[in-house]
Amino acid sequence: SRPQKVCLCPFLPIHPLKVSTCLYIIQHPAEESRVLRTVPLLAACLPPDKCKILVGRRFSEDRYPELATVCRNPSTLILYPGAEATNLEEVTVISSSPSFIIIIDGTWSQAKDIFYKNSLFRLPKQVQLKTNISSHYVIRTQPTNSCLSTLECAAAALSIMEKNKSIQETILRPLQALCSFQLQHGAQIHHSKEHLLKNGLYDKPMPKNKRKLRRMELLVNNVKI
């Protein structure tokens, strides 16, 4: 769906990656309209039955019985950082059956809303990535230097689950190409909000909301939020 001179097809794997782990991408409706979203690239790298995308804000057991079954599966994990989360690298999947990973796709505030207002997502074991890699998604502003796009989170998680580092490299290739093309055609590198605040480069009006101001203070003072 892109002009031929910036086509990303040459950067995709010739055949979908063979993985035993199935991803469930819970996508906020606002992400559907974003031109440079990463989930379509992720889906293009994987078999259709290994990357299922559900769009919405609220997910009840009645409307999403398949998702409810997945959430109750003991081998299902949900990738969402926090005090209750275990590092994915330290998790041993007990079941011998294929594993499932749920990833929420949206801004941090949208992801937080989806996670806390859907009781189904409190059923799987909560995990997070313990990684020091910086995001390759430099054409979109992230809250902190350690934040990753949905594609990057999925790539890192699959690489860990499948015990195959080449999976991460393969999935990141089209994202790197996307960013390269955009930068060649006028896009600018977007530093994280954390970087801009710490270096006095944040040029937008400061929010009047006290909660948002407090979050900015935490970013500047290296406090995990």
Side-chain angles (χ1 to χ4, degrees):
S1 301
R2 291 168 60 88
Q4 188 172 358
K5 65 179 181 179
V6 292
C7 180
L8 298 172
C9 291
F11 303 94
L12 297 171
I14 298 175
H15 302 290
L17 294 172
K18 293 182 179 180
V19 294
S20 60
T21 306
C22 178
L23 300 180
Y24 273 79
I25 307 298
I26 307 301
Q27 188 175 75
H28 190 278
E31 285 295 313
E32 281 191 296
S33 61
R34 292 188 183 277
V35 177
L36 301 176
R37 60 195 187 278
T38 65
V39 167
L41 296 180
L42 172 64
C45 294
L46 299 169
D49 64 330
K50 296 300 182 183
C51 185
K52 302 185 179 185
I53 303 167
L54 301 178
V55 181
R57 293 184 178 87
R58 301 293 174 260
F59 297 85
S60 65
E61 186 165 358
D62 292 339
R63 291 187 61 190
Y64 297 90
E66 179 186 337
L67 178 62
T69 300
V70 168
C71 287
R72 287 191 166 84
N73 189 312
S75 64
T76 298
L77 306 172
I78 184 163
L79 190 63
Y80 189 85
E84 304 297 320
T86 303
N87 291 333
L88 180 58
E89 295 86 340
E90 301 169 7
V91 172
T92 301
V93 180
I94 300 173
S95 174
S96 59
S97 61
S99 302
F100 302 90
I101 297 182
I102 297 172
I103 301 176
I104 303 175
D105 180 47
T107 64
W108 282 102
S109 60
Q110 290 166 351
K112 183 178 181 180
D113 177 75
I114 289 174
F115 180 75
Y116 284 106
K117 292 186 179 179
N118 290 282
S119 58
L120 281 179
F121 299 143
R122 234 89 72 245
L123 297 176
K125 185 175 182 62
Q126 186 180 343
V127 296
Q128 61 188 3
L129 294 171
K130 184 182 178 181
T131 176
N132 295 320
I133 66 171
S134 297
S135 177
H136 293 272
Y137 196 27
V138 295
I139 55 175
R140 188 168 170 182
T141 303
Q142 301 287 1
T144 71
N145 296 330
S146 60
C147 289
L148 302 176
S149 66
T150 300
L151 177 143
E152 290 170 308
C153 289
L158 282 174
S159 184
I160 294 168
M161 295 295 290
E162 302 289 322
K163 298 179 175 60
N164 185 348
K165 290 184 178 180
S166 67
I167 290 176
Q168 185 172 2
E169 297 170 1
T170 300
I171 294 178
L172 289 181
R173 200 170 294 134
L175 177 65
Q176 292 165 341
L178 169 67
C179 293
S180 177
F181 282 140
Q182 296 303 124
L183 292 173
Q184 290 171 29
H185 289 83
Q188 300 294 317
I189 291 179
H190 287 226
H191 294 290
S192 70
K193 186 179 292 186
E194 175 187 17
H195 173 90
L196 296 175
L197 287 168
K198 287 182 177 179
N199 291 276
L201 301 173
Y202 192 76
D203 57 0
K204 295 182 180 180
M206 296 300 284
K208 296 180 180 180
N209 183 291
K210 290 184 178 180
R211 181 177 59 84
K212 291 183 178 180
L213 275 173
R214 177 57 180 161
R215 287 177 64 85
M216 286 189 169
E217 290 175 6
L218 294 174
L219 283 177
V220 173
N221 294 314
N222 288 320
V223 176
K224 187 175 181 180
I225 59 173

